[in-house]
Amino acid sequence: MIRYEFTDAEHPTQDMDHIRLSDREIVGLISCQHTIGYWRADLETGHVFWSDDIYTIFGMPFSKGPIDLPQANAVVHPDDLPYMLELFERLAVEKTGFHYLLRIKNDQGGYKFIRTVGRFRIADDGREELYGLVEEIFDHIRTIGIMTRPAAN
């Protein structure tokens, strides 16, 4: 099961000055809960860059350069891959934000769910980019009727 949401609306940024937390500290706190990685895609070159944790989520070795797209796509569930690729093509044209859930291979021969959130931006150098995050969704979390909690013993 794959789900997409398109939106230009962004949640208002919280003012953190009065509690004196830095962006770095906030990202660190969020990342403590479970594996979350960050990414950027240059729409002109087609290059996509991932932080360490996305490589971990996808079971791929880390690289600071552009990701190996065929290798990354090979991890996506074959039923979900065409929809994911269509989504990115649509985003490049419509320049909107998005949210999606899809399945990728896990290390036990099955699949796990990931959630990706992305936004469009014009970078400081004028290039069009998408950027966002990927997080692993664990089986104890219920996600919009897609996954359910294990029955209580």
Side-chain angles (χ1 to χ4, degrees), residues 26-38 51 53-54 56-57 101 113-117 133-141 143:
I26 292 166
V27 168
L29 289 169
I30 292 168
S31 297
C32 285
Q33 184 177 359
H34 54 276
T35 307
I36 297 177
Y38 305 91
S51 68
D53 279 349
I54 297 181
T56 300
I57 291 168
L101 301 174
F113 283 91
I114 63 168
R115 173 179 173 254
T116 298
V117 177
L133 66 83
V134 172
E135 67 178 322
E136 190 170 344
I137 305 294
F138 294 98
D139 62 354
H140 67 276
I141 297 175
T143 56

mmCIF file of all heavy atoms in Angstrom, residues 26-38 51 53-54 56-57 101 113-117 133-141 143:
data_model
loop_
_atom_site.group_PDB
_atom_site.id
_atom_site.type_symbol
_atom_site.label_atom_id
_atom_site.label_comp_id
_atom_site.label_asym_id
_atom_site.label_seq_id
_atom_site.Cartn_x
_atom_site.Cartn_y
_atom_site.Cartn_z
ATOM 1 N N ILE A 26 17.675 20.256 18.135
ATOM 2 C CA ILE A 26 16.325 19.763 17.833
ATOM 3 C C ILE A 26 16.398 18.551 16.909
ATOM 4 O O ILE A 26 15.739 17.537 17.146
ATOM 5 C CB ILE A 26 15.460 20.894 17.233
ATOM 6 C CG1 ILE A 26 15.197 21.954 18.312
ATOM 7 C CG2 ILE A 26 14.155 20.343 16.671
ATOM 8 C CD1 ILE A 26 14.648 23.248 17.775
ATOM 9 N N VAL A 27 17.208 18.622 15.856
ATOM 10 C CA VAL A 27 17.375 17.481 14.954
ATOM 11 C C VAL A 27 17.918 16.289 15.736
ATOM 12 O O VAL A 27 17.478 15.147 15.545
ATOM 13 C CB VAL A 27 18.293 17.843 13.763
ATOM 14 C CG1 VAL A 27 18.704 16.595 12.993
ATOM 15 C CG2 VAL A 27 17.599 18.832 12.849
ATOM 16 N N GLY A 28 18.857 16.523 16.632
ATOM 17 C CA GLY A 28 19.392 15.446 17.461
ATOM 18 C C GLY A 28 18.327 14.789 18.313
ATOM 19 O O GLY A 28 18.285 13.563 18.447
ATOM 20 N N LEU A 29 17.448 15.587 18.891
ATOM 21 C CA LEU A 29 16.359 15.038 19.701
ATOM 22 C C LEU A 29 15.395 14.212 18.865
ATOM 23 O O LEU A 29 14.992 13.112 19.251
ATOM 24 C CB LEU A 29 15.594 16.172 20.398
ATOM 25 C CG LEU A 29 16.317 16.887 21.524
ATOM 26 C CD1 LEU A 29 15.549 18.136 21.932
ATOM 27 C CD2 LEU A 29 16.514 15.959 22.713
ATOM 28 N N ILE A 30 15.025 14.724 17.718
ATOM 29 C CA ILE A 30 14.099 14.003 16.841
ATOM 30 C C ILE A 30 14.715 12.686 16.392
ATOM 31 O O ILE A 30 14.052 11.651 16.341
ATOM 32 C CB ILE A 30 13.708 14.878 15.627
ATOM 33 C CG1 ILE A 30 12.858 16.058 16.088
ATOM 34 C CG2 ILE A 30 12.963 14.068 14.579
ATOM 35 C CD1 ILE A 30 12.662 17.132 15.040
ATOM 36 N N SER A 31 16.000 12.707 16.081
ATOM 37 C CA SER A 31 16.682 11.508 15.598
ATOM 38 C C SER A 31 16.857 10.452 16.679
ATOM 39 O O SER A 31 17.110 9.289 16.365
ATOM 40 C CB SER A 31 18.044 11.883 15.012
ATOM 41 O OG SER A 31 17.868 12.720 13.887
ATOM 42 N N CYS A 32 16.742 10.824 17.936
ATOM 43 C CA CYS A 32 16.858 9.851 19.032
ATOM 44 C C CYS A 32 15.679 8.881 19.049
ATOM 45 O O CYS A 32 15.819 7.745 19.478
ATOM 46 C CB CYS A 32 16.922 10.560 20.381
ATOM 47 S SG CYS A 32 18.493 11.325 20.718
ATOM 48 N N GLN A 33 14.518 9.320 18.629
ATOM 49 C CA GLN A 33 13.325 8.485 18.700
ATOM 50 C C GLN A 33 13.432 7.278 17.796
ATOM 51 O O GLN A 33 13.132 6.172 18.187
ATOM 52 C CB GLN A 33 12.082 9.298 18.359
ATOM 53 C CG GLN A 33 10.816 8.493 18.510
ATOM 54 C CD GLN A 33 9.581 9.321 18.245
ATOM 55 O OE1 GLN A 33 9.655 10.502 17.974
ATOM 56 N NE2 GLN A 33 8.431 8.690 18.334
ATOM 57 N N HIS A 34 13.840 7.471 16.575
ATOM 58 C CA HIS A 34 14.062 6.386 15.638
ATOM 59 C C HIS A 34 14.879 6.912 14.465
ATOM 60 O O HIS A 34 15.221 8.078 14.412
ATOM 61 C CB HIS A 34 12.753 5.738 15.184
ATOM 62 C CG HIS A 34 11.731 6.668 14.629
ATOM 63 N ND1 HIS A 34 10.866 7.379 15.397
ATOM 64 C CD2 HIS A 34 11.464 7.011 13.364
ATOM 65 C CE1 HIS A 34 10.092 8.128 14.629
ATOM 66 N NE2 HIS A 34 10.441 7.919 13.393
ATOM 67 N N THR A 35 15.168 6.060 13.531
ATOM 68 C CA THR A 35 16.064 6.417 12.444
ATOM 69 C C THR A 35 15.396 7.387 11.469
ATOM 70 O O THR A 35 14.378 7.063 10.865
ATOM 71 C CB THR A 35 16.513 5.147 11.698
ATOM 72 O OG1 THR A 35 17.035 4.221 12.650
ATOM 73 C CG2 THR A 35 17.598 5.463 10.693
ATOM 74 N N ILE A 36 15.987 8.570 11.358
ATOM 75 C CA ILE A 36 15.512 9.604 10.441
ATOM 76 C C ILE A 36 16.717 10.120 9.672
ATOM 77 O O ILE A 36 17.748 10.436 10.256
ATOM 78 C CB ILE A 36 14.847 10.785 11.182
ATOM 79 C CG1 ILE A 36 13.609 10.330 11.936
ATOM 80 C CG2 ILE A 36 14.492 11.896 10.191
ATOM 81 C CD1 ILE A 36 12.957 11.428 12.747
ATOM 82 N N GLY A 37 16.580 10.218 8.355
ATOM 83 C CA GLY A 37 17.639 10.778 7.530
ATOM 84 C C GLY A 37 17.100 11.914 6.690
ATOM 85 O O GLY A 37 15.888 12.093 6.545
ATOM 86 N N TYR A 38 18.020 12.677 6.109
ATOM 87 C CA TYR A 38 17.661 13.874 5.363
ATOM 88 C C TYR A 38 18.254 13.791 3.959
ATOM 89 O O TYR A 38 19.286 13.161 3.747
ATOM 90 C CB TYR A 38 18.170 15.114 6.109
ATOM 91 C CG TYR A 38 17.633 15.111 7.520
ATOM 92 C CD1 TYR A 38 18.354 14.514 8.551
ATOM 93 C CD2 TYR A 38 16.380 15.618 7.809
ATOM 94 C CE1 TYR A 38 17.835 14.458 9.841
ATOM 95 C CE2 TYR A 38 15.854 15.564 9.094
ATOM 96 C CZ TYR A 38 16.595 14.980 10.103
ATOM 97 O OH TYR A 38 16.081 14.901 11.375
ATOM 98 N N SER A 51 21.736 11.762 3.767
ATOM 99 C CA SER A 51 22.513 11.718 5.009
ATOM 100 C C SER A 51 22.735 10.250 5.393
ATOM 101 O O SER A 51 22.129 9.338 4.818
ATOM 102 C CB SER A 51 21.792 12.472 6.126
ATOM 103 O OG SER A 51 20.610 11.788 6.496
ATOM 104 N N ASP A 53 21.783 8.283 7.812
ATOM 105 C CA ASP A 53 20.692 7.419 8.263
ATOM 106 C C ASP A 53 19.812 6.899 7.128
ATOM 107 O O ASP A 53 19.227 5.828 7.238
ATOM 108 C CB ASP A 53 19.839 8.114 9.318
ATOM 109 C CG ASP A 53 20.471 8.047 10.700
ATOM 110 O OD1 ASP A 53 21.455 7.293 10.875
ATOM 111 O OD2 ASP A 53 19.987 8.742 11.609
ATOM 112 N N ILE A 54 19.709 7.619 6.015
ATOM 113 C CA ILE A 54 18.926 7.074 4.901
ATOM 114 C C ILE A 54 19.646 5.874 4.313
ATOM 115 O O ILE A 54 19.021 4.862 3.978
ATOM 116 C CB ILE A 54 18.629 8.131 3.815
ATOM 117 C CG1 ILE A 54 17.773 9.250 4.403
ATOM 118 C CG2 ILE A 54 17.895 7.482 2.633
ATOM 119 C CD1 ILE A 54 17.410 10.343 3.412
ATOM 120 N N THR A 56 21.421 3.855 5.983
ATOM 121 C CA THR A 56 21.135 2.791 6.956
ATOM 122 C C THR A 56 19.750 2.215 6.718
ATOM 123 O O THR A 56 19.567 0.994 6.677
ATOM 124 C CB THR A 56 21.253 3.334 8.394
ATOM 125 O OG1 THR A 56 22.586 3.816 8.588
ATOM 126 C CG2 THR A 56 20.917 2.266 9.418
ATOM 127 N N ILE A 57 18.752 3.074 6.557
ATOM 128 C CA ILE A 57 17.374 2.631 6.328
ATOM 129 C C ILE A 57 17.294 1.764 5.071
ATOM 130 O O ILE A 57 16.634 0.734 5.057
ATOM 131 C CB ILE A 57 16.419 3.843 6.223
ATOM 132 C CG1 ILE A 57 16.281 4.535 7.589
ATOM 133 C CG2 ILE A 57 15.048 3.422 5.704
ATOM 134 C CD1 ILE A 57 15.597 5.896 7.536
ATOM 135 N N LEU A 101 4.147 7.223 1.989
ATOM 136 C CA LEU A 101 4.542 5.994 2.674
ATOM 137 C C LEU A 101 4.743 4.936 1.606
ATOM 138 O O LEU A 101 3.955 4.849 0.668
ATOM 139 C CB LEU A 101 3.448 5.515 3.632
ATOM 140 C CG LEU A 101 3.025 6.459 4.741
ATOM 141 C CD1 LEU A 101 1.841 5.862 5.489
ATOM 142 C CD2 LEU A 101 4.155 6.750 5.681
ATOM 143 N N PHE A 113 8.051 -0.350 6.155
ATOM 144 C CA PHE A 113 7.486 0.913 5.685
ATOM 145 C C PHE A 113 8.435 2.061 5.990
ATOM 146 O O PHE A 113 9.084 2.084 7.033
ATOM 147 C CB PHE A 113 6.141 1.200 6.361
ATOM 148 C CG PHE A 113 5.013 0.395 5.799
ATOM 149 C CD1 PHE A 113 4.681 -0.832 6.340
ATOM 150 C CD2 PHE A 113 4.281 0.863 4.726
ATOM 151 C CE1 PHE A 113 3.638 -1.585 5.831
ATOM 152 C CE2 PHE A 113 3.232 0.122 4.201
ATOM 153 C CZ PHE A 113 2.912 -1.105 4.758
ATOM 154 N N ILE A 114 8.500 3.006 5.050
ATOM 155 C CA ILE A 114 9.184 4.268 5.299
ATOM 156 C C ILE A 114 8.225 5.398 4.971
ATOM 157 O O ILE A 114 7.281 5.234 4.205
ATOM 158 C CB ILE A 114 10.485 4.419 4.478
ATOM 159 C CG1 ILE A 114 10.206 4.425 2.975
ATOM 160 C CG2 ILE A 114 11.507 3.363 4.877
ATOM 161 C CD1 ILE A 114 11.399 4.864 2.136
ATOM 162 N N ARG A 115 8.484 6.528 5.584
ATOM 163 C CA ARG A 115 7.709 7.746 5.339
ATOM 164 C C ARG A 115 8.688 8.788 4.828
ATOM 165 O O ARG A 115 9.771 8.955 5.389
ATOM 166 C CB ARG A 115 7.072 8.218 6.636
ATOM 167 C CG ARG A 115 6.380 9.551 6.545
ATOM 168 C CD ARG A 115 5.767 9.910 7.917
ATOM 169 N NE ARG A 115 5.258 11.236 7.901
ATOM 170 C CZ ARG A 115 5.834 12.282 8.494
ATOM 171 N NH1 ARG A 115 6.953 12.127 9.166
ATOM 172 N NH2 ARG A 115 5.299 13.472 8.431
ATOM 173 N N THR A 116 8.310 9.479 3.767
ATOM 174 C CA THR A 116 9.129 10.558 3.229
ATOM 175 C C THR A 116 8.291 11.821 3.153
ATOM 176 O O THR A 116 7.139 11.781 2.727
ATOM 177 C CB THR A 116 9.662 10.206 1.823
ATOM 178 O OG1 THR A 116 10.488 9.063 1.923
ATOM 179 C CG2 THR A 116 10.468 11.342 1.239
ATOM 180 N N VAL A 117 8.888 12.915 3.596
ATOM 181 C CA VAL A 117 8.273 14.231 3.489
ATOM 182 C C VAL A 117 9.238 15.089 2.688
ATOM 183 O O VAL A 117 10.452 15.030 2.909
ATOM 184 C CB VAL A 117 8.040 14.863 4.875
ATOM 185 C CG1 VAL A 117 7.469 16.267 4.750
ATOM 186 C CG2 VAL A 117 7.133 13.981 5.722
ATOM 187 N N LEU A 133 12.980 14.547 4.357
ATOM 188 C CA LEU A 133 13.427 13.538 5.307
ATOM 189 C C LEU A 133 12.802 12.199 4.977
ATOM 190 O O LEU A 133 11.781 12.118 4.310
ATOM 191 C CB LEU A 133 13.100 13.942 6.747
ATOM 192 C CG LEU A 133 11.641 14.044 7.191
ATOM 193 C CD1 LEU A 133 11.074 12.698 7.580
ATOM 194 C CD2 LEU A 133 11.534 14.972 8.375
ATOM 195 N N VAL A 134 13.462 11.150 5.462
ATOM 196 C CA VAL A 134 12.957 9.782 5.378
ATOM 197 C C VAL A 134 13.030 9.214 6.772
ATOM 198 O O VAL A 134 14.045 9.372 7.462
ATOM 199 C CB VAL A 134 13.806 8.911 4.424
ATOM 200 C CG1 VAL A 134 13.384 7.445 4.495
ATOM 201 C CG2 VAL A 134 13.711 9.412 3.000
ATOM 202 N N GLU A 135 11.963 8.563 7.199
ATOM 203 C CA GLU A 135 11.999 7.890 8.494
ATOM 204 C C GLU A 135 11.441 6.488 8.351
ATOM 205 O O GLU A 135 10.555 6.233 7.537
ATOM 206 C CB GLU A 135 11.231 8.661 9.556
ATOM 207 C CG GLU A 135 9.741 8.733 9.354
ATOM 208 C CD GLU A 135 9.038 9.473 10.467
ATOM 209 O OE1 GLU A 135 9.406 9.341 11.638
ATOM 210 O OE2 GLU A 135 8.080 10.199 10.139
ATOM 211 N N GLU A 136 12.009 5.602 9.139
ATOM 212 C CA GLU A 136 11.532 4.227 9.176
ATOM 213 C C GLU A 136 10.320 4.162 10.094
ATOM 214 O O GLU A 136 10.325 4.726 11.176
ATOM 215 C CB GLU A 136 12.644 3.320 9.696
ATOM 216 C CG GLU A 136 12.357 1.872 9.552
ATOM 217 C CD GLU A 136 13.579 1.013 9.854
ATOM 218 O OE1 GLU A 136 14.705 1.527 9.879
ATOM 219 O OE2 GLU A 136 13.376 -0.189 10.068
ATOM 220 N N ILE A 137 9.265 3.516 9.618
ATOM 221 C CA ILE A 137 8.050 3.347 10.406
ATOM 222 C C ILE A 137 8.093 1.953 11.032
ATOM 223 O O ILE A 137 8.176 0.962 10.315
ATOM 224 C CB ILE A 137 6.785 3.484 9.530
ATOM 225 C CG1 ILE A 137 6.781 4.818 8.783
ATOM 226 C CG2 ILE A 137 5.525 3.291 10.355
ATOM 227 C CD1 ILE A 137 6.661 6.038 9.649
ATOM 228 N N PHE A 138 8.074 1.897 12.338
ATOM 229 C CA PHE A 138 8.169 0.622 13.030
ATOM 230 C C PHE A 138 6.806 -0.022 13.189
ATOM 231 O O PHE A 138 5.786 0.649 13.230
ATOM 232 C CB PHE A 138 8.851 0.813 14.383
ATOM 233 C CG PHE A 138 10.276 1.228 14.234
ATOM 234 C CD1 PHE A 138 10.635 2.561 14.324
ATOM 235 C CD2 PHE A 138 11.248 0.296 13.942
ATOM 236 C CE1 PHE A 138 11.949 2.954 14.154
ATOM 237 C CE2 PHE A 138 12.567 0.675 13.772
ATOM 238 C CZ PHE A 138 12.919 2.005 13.879
ATOM 239 N N ASP A 139 6.796 -1.354 13.306
ATOM 240 C CA ASP A 139 5.530 -2.089 13.307
ATOM 241 C C ASP A 139 4.647 -1.785 14.501
ATOM 242 O O ASP A 139 3.465 -2.076 14.467
ATOM 243 C CB ASP A 139 5.773 -3.593 13.197
ATOM 244 C CG ASP A 139 6.551 -4.166 14.359
ATOM 245 O OD1 ASP A 139 7.022 -3.396 15.212
ATOM 246 O OD2 ASP A 139 6.684 -5.389 14.418
ATOM 247 N N HIS A 140 5.174 -1.178 15.561
ATOM 248 C CA HIS A 140 4.317 -0.849 16.696
ATOM 249 C C HIS A 140 3.572 0.466 16.497
ATOM 250 O O HIS A 140 2.775 0.860 17.326
ATOM 251 C CB HIS A 140 5.135 -0.803 17.988
ATOM 252 C CG HIS A 140 6.120 0.317 18.031
ATOM 253 N ND1 HIS A 140 7.363 0.211 17.447
ATOM 254 C CD2 HIS A 140 6.047 1.559 18.553
ATOM 255 C CE1 HIS A 140 8.020 1.347 17.638
ATOM 256 N NE2 HIS A 140 7.246 2.181 18.287
ATOM 257 N N ILE A 141 3.809 1.131 15.387
ATOM 258 C CA ILE A 141 3.126 2.380 15.075
ATOM 259 C C ILE A 141 2.004 2.096 14.092
ATOM 260 O O ILE A 141 2.179 1.395 13.119
ATOM 261 C CB ILE A 141 4.101 3.402 14.460
ATOM 262 C CG1 ILE A 141 5.190 3.751 15.463
ATOM 263 C CG2 ILE A 141 3.363 4.644 13.986
ATOM 264 C CD1 ILE A 141 6.257 4.655 14.899
ATOM 265 N N THR A 143 -0.257 3.365 11.114
ATOM 266 C CA THR A 143 -0.190 4.411 10.101
ATOM 267 C C THR A 143 -1.403 4.336 9.192
ATOM 268 O O THR A 143 -1.441 3.562 8.252
ATOM 269 C CB THR A 143 1.090 4.297 9.254
ATOM 270 O OG1 THR A 143 1.126 2.999 8.690
ATOM 271 C CG2 THR A 143 2.332 4.539 10.073
#
